[in-house]
PDB file of all heavy atoms in Angstrom:
ATOM      1  N   TYR A  62      23.082  -2.610 -10.240  1.00 87.00           N
ATOM      2  CA  TYR A  62      24.487  -2.514 -10.654  1.00 87.00           C
ATOM      3  C   TYR A  62      25.152  -3.885 -10.611  1.00 87.00           C
ATOM      4  O   TYR A  62      25.878  -4.278 -11.532  1.00 87.00           O
ATOM      5  CB  TYR A  62      25.206  -1.530  -9.741  1.00 87.00           C
ATOM      6  CG  TYR A  62      26.709  -1.507  -9.922  1.00 87.00           C
ATOM      7  CD1 TYR A  62      27.292  -0.871 -11.014  1.00 87.00           C
ATOM      8  CD2 TYR A  62      27.543  -2.137  -8.990  1.00 87.00           C
ATOM      9  CE1 TYR A  62      28.665  -0.856 -11.182  1.00 87.00           C
ATOM     10  CE2 TYR A  62      28.917  -2.126  -9.151  1.00 87.00           C
ATOM     11  CZ  TYR A  62      29.474  -1.491 -10.253  1.00 87.00           C
ATOM     12  OH  TYR A  62      30.835  -1.485 -10.425  1.00 87.00           O
ATOM     13  N   VAL A 195      -8.178 -16.449 -25.587  1.00 61.00           N
ATOM     14  CA  VAL A 195      -7.528 -17.049 -24.419  1.00 61.00           C
ATOM     15  C   VAL A 195      -8.266 -16.758 -23.121  1.00 61.00           C
ATOM     16  O   VAL A 195      -8.076 -17.438 -22.109  1.00 61.00           O
ATOM     17  CB  VAL A 195      -6.063 -16.557 -24.285  1.00 61.00           C
ATOM     18  CG1 VAL A 195      -5.266 -16.974 -25.502  1.00 61.00           C
ATOM     19  CG2 VAL A 195      -5.989 -15.054 -24.073  1.00 61.00           C
ATOM     20  N   CYS A 216      -7.732  -0.984   1.562  1.00 94.00           N
ATOM     21  CA  CYS A 216      -8.493  -0.370   2.662  1.00 94.00           C
ATOM     22  C   CYS A 216      -9.976  -0.262   2.331  1.00 94.00           C
ATOM     23  O   CYS A 216     -10.779   0.103   3.192  1.00 94.00           O
ATOM     24  CB  CYS A 216      -7.924   0.995   3.022  1.00 94.00           C
ATOM     25  SG  CYS A 216      -8.127   2.240   1.731  1.00 94.00           S
TER      26      CYS A 216
END
Side-chain angles (χ1 to χ4, degrees):
Y62 171 76
V195 298
C216 67

